Amino acid sequence: MRRAPPFPQDPEFDDEAGRPSKSALKRQMHELQTLGEELTRLPDSRIVPLNLPESLLDALAEFHRTRSFEGKRRQLQYVGKLMRHVDPEPIREAIAAFKLGSAKDTLRLHEAERWREELLAQDDALTRWMSEHPNTDAQALRSLVRAARKDSTAATVEQRHARAYRELFQLIKSTLAEANTESISDDIPEDHEEDARHDHRRP
């Protein structure tokens, strides 16, 4: 009669030596494959600091050069294989930071769109905007709002969304971006800023 093992077998390991089971290895390879796919979406500015092996960089470049669906699929599998030979943590961190930045950019675009629609629809929106962003060129803002409102009565969408409509959005977006930068700067402790200045003066 066969004895039952004294402890339940851990599905992550296949023997007493503690080697990963086939299912665990399969899951790890799938995770690396997915991570490699996300890596292909990073811009070069995010990839360079990772100091990836030349073989992986070449594989990523070849992936972006490939045009056919099947070719991209095969190249993506190759990227996944190469991912087994690198530390995945810095890559995960870079991807997470990129996604966070993209999400914030999207929120700012939505905020700019909301402000534009309010400025075009409500007279008091200009007062509220100037209250929140007093450094805005009020004359330029009023001029763009008037021109965009005038265009809004045009017959076609292209005419309604003409130059003034687009320039108003750019003014709002740039002002919000500057305000966000100033807010981040204000959050930095003074002693941290002083340390940074001292570090900058060091030879």
Side-chain angles (χ1 to χ4, degrees):
M1 182 175 177
R2 191 176 181 180
R3 285 187 174 183
F7 300 101
Q9 186 175 6
D10 188 340
E12 294 291 324
F13 300 96
D14 61 6
D15 60 20
E16 295 179 358
R19 291 182 300 181
S21 66
K22 289 182 179 180
S23 60
L25 288 173
K26 186 176 181 180
R27 184 172 61 255
Q28 290 171 9
M29 286 188 289
H30 179 72
E31 290 174 353
L32 290 174
Q33 187 75 47
T34 301
L35 192 64
E37 184 175 358
E38 292 181 329
L39 181 61
T40 64
R41 302 191 186 107
L42 285 185
D44 290 343
S45 60
R46 301 273 183 163
I47 291 178
V48 171
L50 294 173
N51 295 317
L52 299 176
E54 197 69 28
S55 58
L56 182 52
L57 292 174
D58 290 342
L60 292 172
E62 182 62 27
F63 172 83
H64 291 297
R65 284 193 296 266
T66 303
R67 292 290 174 261
S68 70
F69 175 82
E70 182 60 24
K72 278 187 172 294
R73 186 188 68 80
R74 288 197 302 268
Q75 190 62 21
L76 197 57
Q77 287 182 332
Y78 180 54
V79 169
K81 290 179 181 178
L82 293 176
M83 289 290 293
R84 303 173 195 174
H85 307 293
V86 300
D87 181 2
E89 288 310 312
I91 297 175
R92 287 194 181 98
E93 291 174 4
I95 291 171
F98 178 66
K99 288 181 177 179
L100 179 60
S102 297
K104 289 181 177 178
D105 289 342
T106 300
L107 288 174
R108 281 195 288 269
L109 288 176
H110 286 326
E111 185 180 6
E113 290 172 351
R114 176 182 62 79
W115 267 113
R116 178 173 60 182
E117 297 311 309
E118 289 187 14
L119 286 166
L120 294 178
Q122 306 169 15
D123 290 335
D124 67 334
L126 184 61
T127 302
R128 287 189 284 108
W129 172 270
M130 292 305 302
S131 175
E132 294 185 24
H133 307 283
N135 293 329
T136 306
D137 184 336
Q139 184 175 353
L141 180 60
R142 289 192 184 95
S143 178
L144 287 173
V145 169
R146 283 197 300 268
R149 284 179 176 178
K150 183 178 179 181
D151 291 339
S152 67
T153 61
T156 67
V157 174
E158 290 78 8
Q159 291 171 329
R160 290 196 293 271
H161 294 176
R163 181 177 177 180
Y165 185 83
R166 297 191 300 271
E167 289 186 355
L168 176 60
F169 179 78
Q170 292 302 324
L171 186 152
I172 294 169
K173 187 176 72 169
S174 61
T175 303
L176 291 175
E178 290 175 6
N180 182 67
T181 302
E182 291 174 359
S183 175
I184 293 174
S185 177
D186 291 342
D187 289 340
I188 299 176
E190 292 183 3
D191 57 347
H192 181 81
E193 293 180 342
E194 186 66 24
D195 290 343
R197 286 194 292 270
H198 285 313
D199 290 341
H200 180 71
R201 289 195 294 266
R202 289 171 186 168

